[in-house]
Amino acid sequence: MPNSIIISTGCCIPSEIVPNTHFLENAFFGSDGVRLEKSNPEIIEKLYNITGIRERRYVRDELTTTDIAYEASVQALEGIDRESLDYIIVAQNFGDVHSGNLRTDMVPTIASRVKHRLKIENPYTVAYDIPFGCPGWLQGMIMADYYIRSGDARRVLVVGAEILSRVSDPHDVDCMIFADGAGATVLEASDEKAGILSHITRTDTIDKAWMLRLGKSYRPDRKGDELFIKMDGHDIYKYALKTVPLVVKQALDKAGLMLGDVSKILMHQANAKMDDAILKRLFQLCGVEPVAEGVMPMIIEWAGNSSVATIPTLLDLLLKKKLAGHRLDSGDVAVFASVGAGMNINAMAYRMP
């Protein structure tokens, strides 16, 4: 049975840098439609203290999710025969949302659009999207691993791309969390004793399906019927803190690994405070104290939360030695973990070839 090895990566980090001061003139309302009493500087400072976000990246008006997914894919496919791809899996949740028009455009799929842009003629390069919330890219990697291990595929392109700036309610404080971006990875079948070692996924819907959803603007007099991202942040925090460490430990146990074997933990860049709390809880769960220094690289301070793009972007920067103080060498073990709409959680253990 072949193993799934990451042979290349790429990412698209949008050029528009949006600092926290960008939101000083926003009119913020609560979910009850009442304008918030605190001043915007106070609101912005509080959100920064919770999320760790100083700035985020937005795409230029003329770009779409397809454009940035394509750009990340081109980087990942440099030097690789595009016609050799068996699958193109694109994780995204909102399709192509054009500037000034909040209608979602998903037909054909973003994956088909990317394949078209890549000029791939091979009809057996199967292209499809997965809407799986923020854990979508990681779930795409898990699906690609199944294809490779079954012998159905030898090479798979997995992309995570999202433009959240266009589906964020400017009157909801949470709009300051979201960002844009894309990351891509090529997985290949290999006989090396490395690659993807294990993975675990769970979906909790009985009482958690709607904690992250679409809804109308919090501003009651806003014209139009657009739908924006809405989330119960505090409830998601509690759910993630309780559940993500369990799933990560399950993935480690399945691979026969101890937490001490792990060199890096690549966590979905959702909220710095939440990620730090999850890491601390994971170490407690595994009976390891104190928390290892430098084990969890973070880019949320300047990149924001770009949903499915956060982990593949982080991985690309890490493997290309663009994250000061962080590196992965041959034989090192990395753990990937994400949480998001569904509510979905997944984790994957990976050994560097």
Side-chain angles (χ1 to χ4, degrees), residues 66 70 88-90 92 106-120 125-129:
T66 296
Y70 169 74
I88 298 173
I89 303 172
V90 175
Q92 58 86 20
M106 278 203 244
V107 181
T109 64
I110 303 302
S112 287
R113 299 177 195 204
V114 169
K115 179 182 176 181
H116 174 75
R117 290 276 297 274
L118 290 171
K119 295 182 169 56
I120 296 172
T125 299
V126 178
Y128 66 91
D129 293 357

Side-chain angles (χ1 to χ4, degrees), residues 88-146:
I88 298 173
I89 303 172
V90 175
Q92 58 86 20
N93 294 288
F94 300 99
D96 275 349
V97 178
H98 297 269
S99 179
N101 183 346
L102 289 187
R103 294 182 183 275
T104 295
D105 177 4
M106 278 203 244
V107 181
T109 64
I110 303 302
S112 287
R113 299 177 195 204
V114 169
K115 179 182 176 181
H116 174 75
R117 290 276 297 274
L118 290 171
K119 295 182 169 56
I120 296 172
E121 297 181 0
N122 181 1
Y124 297 102
T125 299
V126 178
Y128 66 91
D129 293 357
I130 53 170
F132 199 71
C134 293
W137 172 83
L138 188 49
Q139 196 62 24
M141 294 287 283
I142 291 169
M143 294 169 73
D145 182 54
Y146 280 125

